[in-house]
Amino acid sequence: MSGSDLYLLSPELCVAAGALLALVAGMANANRAVVTAVGLLGLVAALVFTGLLWAELDGRVDLCSALEGDRGTAVYGALAIDRFALFFKGLIGVSAALVLLASHAYTQRFAERSAEFTALVLFAAVGMMLLAGGRELITLYVALELSTLPLVALAAFSGGQRASEAGLKYLVLGAVASAILLYGMALTFGYTGTTVLEGMALSVGDAALDGSRPFGVQVLVLGVVLMVAGFGFKVAAVPFHGWIPDVYEGAPTPITAFLSVASKAAGFAVVMRVFFTAFEPLEVDWALLFAGIAAASMTFGNLAAIAQANIKRMLAYSTIAHAGYLLVGLAAVASRTVDGITIGPETVLFYLGGYAVTNLAAFFAVIAIADRTNNESIASFSGMGRRAPWMAAALTVALLSLTGIPPTVGFMAKLFVFGAAVKADLAWLVALGAVNSVVSAYYYLRVVRIMYLGDPAADETSDGERPVRAIPLDLSVAVTAVAVVALGLYPQPLFRAAQRAVEGLF
């Protein structure tokens, strides 16, 4: 690894250094505030270097001769340094920082292991960042495992039967997904003879003309299908969602937020890079596959969410439905126009950014409210509009955004994605998405109705103690809730960043 590689990988190295220093602080018996501050410093440094690399690609900074033009590579070409990867590194870094901030009070429940908690969040973020930049299969697989294994430990971190079950199920789910993905990668490598995505694209492009390869093009098709299934587990799409609702319910709530946002963003980043780089010649075929999975995910996720009494399970099925909305965007990108023009890849990135702030706002508000009641049932939120008006307002804003009601970022995200799908002649999928959005309004607005029209219950935790005010959590809720409305009223900065991010990929 050269000196320039260290600079190009500085975001990941800063986060990894933050994780190691957090562990050292834990061994030195530093208090939780110091441990959290060390972790946040690592993430802030990573975001600074991410911005510096973006400025370098724009030509506004010139610190590294290895980074010229719109993209560069690091570690012998295994990792791409382009705006697409940097966009997701920024998104993952901000999400991890907000999760650490919001979970500071939560870690009081396992104060003696707060350093391990912080380090695991950061190590998972490193894996996700590498996943966004991977441009060859072995690197992608290693990055996927690096992001998954810390999340398995985090899912079971709070202890108890429910958390242990969540950790075990996530481990089994991850192992099955890993095996399927690895088998798909092996078949694809066997057919193309390379693990580099650009090299695979050249080989796949010649597939129809070359009848001499063993087992024919069917091996390639099977490899692509298995890779779709493997990545489908990562983004929680139907029928690969498995035990995701059980994992979300059993895991600590900040980790559930992290799973639903950062892990999903990394999953869609790798899907877009792999399929729009390596399998572009087959995009008409897998566009139809994505459209089918999108329809199934939207419909199943929304219908299953209606029956949920636990708010974390409801949000888990909600995230399955939103994976469907995002796949509508991917199907639109793959379908293209009759002139071969790519439609709306930036809408998918905008949706991921908007969904991140929206879902974080929802989960942070749920943490704050559940701390008052020590209960995660939707019924326990009754009367919160009077007992905790600011948190209820923040949760209301987030739920309106998840539904897609203006003036929130969720409305703009759906507007952009559905608009791209219409241009790609996927009107039937847009109609199904609109119907599903109406269905989702039933269970999202049911929570709002209970908070504002329900009778208040006792304002105490189960042990009779009033909850302690958590300023970092309040700050996280405020920042994300304001961002939901601000990006709905003024989406241009995020949309422009998304446009710049996809310029080098498509």
Side-chain angles (χ1 to χ4, degrees):
M1 183 181 290
S2 64
S4 64
D5 283 341
L6 295 177
Y7 173 59
L8 297 177
L9 293 178
S10 51
E12 290 89 345
L13 293 175
C14 288
V15 180
L20 293 174
L21 289 174
L23 287 174
V24 171
M27 287 188 285
N29 294 320
N31 61 38
R32 288 185 304 113
V34 172
V35 170
T36 302
V38 168
L40 287 173
L41 278 176
L43 288 166
V44 169
L47 291 171
V48 169
F49 277 106
T50 300
L52 204 57
L53 289 168
W54 187 293
E56 186 110 26
L57 290 171
D58 286 345
R60 288 179 280 126
V61 175
D62 186 15
L63 297 176
C64 179
S65 59
L67 199 59
E68 295 179 352
D70 282 342
R71 62 171 63 188
T73 60
V75 196
Y76 307 104
L79 291 166
I81 310 299
D82 53 18
R83 294 186 188 88
F84 183 80
L86 294 175
F87 178 90
F88 282 99
K89 288 177 186 179
L91 183 59
I92 292 164
V94 170
S95 301
L98 288 170
V99 166
L100 280 186
L101 202 60
S103 59
H104 178 67
Y106 192 92
T107 55
Q108 177 63 44
R109 305 178 188 193
F110 35 80
E112 72 284 358
R113 293 178 288 135
S114 63
E116 289 86 341
F117 179 88
T118 301
L120 285 169
V121 170
L122 295 180
F123 281 132
V126 172
M128 294 172 194
M129 288 177 168
L130 293 173
L131 202 56
R135 58 186 296 272
E136 67 92 37
L137 296 183
I138 297 173
T139 305
L140 288 173
Y141 183 76
V142 172
L144 185 70
E145 292 301 303
L146 180 58
S147 66
T148 301
L149 293 177
L151 291 175
V152 170
L154 286 167
F157 204 84
S158 57
Q161 182 178 356
R162 202 173 63 162
S164 300
E165 180 184 338
L168 183 60
K169 286 183 173 179
Y170 198 62
L171 178 65
V172 174
L173 197 63
V176 172
S178 178
I180 291 174
L181 180 64
L182 195 58
Y183 194 41
M185 287 179 169
L187 289 175
T188 308
F189 168 70
Y191 186 84
T192 61
T194 180
T195 60
V196 179
L197 299 182
E198 284 82 357
M200 290 167 61
L202 295 175
S203 184
V204 171
D206 296 334
L209 304 177
D210 188 356
S212 64
R213 303 189 197 190
F215 305 107
V217 74
Q218 290 80 6
V219 171
L220 177 63
V221 173
L222 180 58
V224 173
V225 170
L226 290 176
M227 289 177 70
V228 169
F231 290 132
F233 282 108
K234 190 69 180 173
V235 301
V238 172
F240 315 112
H241 59 288
W243 288 318
I244 288 296
D246 296 334
V247 174
Y248 276 38
E249 183 181 2
T253 307
I255 298 308
T256 306
F258 193 50
L259 276 171
S260 70
V261 171
S263 183
K264 188 183 287 290
F268 274 97
V270 72
V271 167
M272 293 182 75
R273 187 180 290 281
V274 169
F275 283 88
F276 290 111
T277 301
F279 303 129
E280 185 181 358
L282 302 175
E283 61 187 5
V284 174
D285 299 312
W286 52 259
L288 188 61
L289 181 61
F290 280 164
I293 296 174
S297 298
M298 288 187 295
T299 306
F300 174 81
N302 283 316
L303 292 179
I306 291 175
Q308 304 308 314
N310 181 293
I311 194 156
K312 286 172 70 178
R313 283 189 75 85
M314 188 199 81
L315 291 173
Y317 283 105
S318 159
T319 201
I320 293 172
H322 281 273
Y325 298 131
L326 283 159
L327 285 167
V328 171
L330 286 191
V333 176
S335 296
R336 303 194 179 218
T337 66
V338 291
D339 300 325
I341 299 172
T342 302
I343 302 172
E346 65 276 6
T347 64
V348 178
L349 270 64
F350 181 89
Y351 198 113
L352 282 167
Y355 178 73
V357 294
T358 300
N359 229 30
L360 287 176
F363 274 107
F364 293 164
V366 166
I367 294 172
I369 294 174
D371 278 349
R372 298 179 68 95
T373 62
N374 201 24
N375 194 329
E376 294 170 351
S377 69
I378 294 174
S380 70
F381 283 53
S382 179
M384 279 297 164
R386 280 163 278 175
R387 296 161 59 195
W390 289 110
M391 290 300 164
L395 183 55
T396 300
V397 167
L399 293 175
L400 292 176
S401 183
L402 288 171
T403 309
I405 295 175
T408 61
V409 68
F411 168 75
M412 298 305 299
K414 285 187 178 178
L415 187 67
F416 291 150
V417 165
F418 288 169
V422 169
K423 291 178 183 174
D425 289 333
L426 292 171
W428 67 272
L429 199 54
V430 174
L432 186 61
V435 171
N436 270 287
S437 294
V438 174
V439 172
S440 72
Y442 173 78
Y443 62 84
Y444 287 134
L445 298 183
R446 179 184 57 171
V447 179
V448 177
R449 178 182 61 80
I450 288 173
M451 286 195 298
Y452 286 98
L453 300 181
D455 295 327
D459 191 13
E460 291 183 341
T461 55
S462 62
D463 56 6
E465 296 179 355
R466 290 184 64 83
V468 178
R469 293 279 301 175
I471 294 175
L473 177 59
D474 292 349
L475 181 63
S476 303
V477 174
V479 167
T480 49
V482 169
V484 168
V485 178
L487 289 173
L489 295 171
Y490 187 57
Q492 284 84 354
L494 179 59
F495 193 77
R496 180 58 186 153
Q499 282 182 316
R500 295 283 288 155
V502 300
E503 283 174 359
L505 190 64
F506 295 89

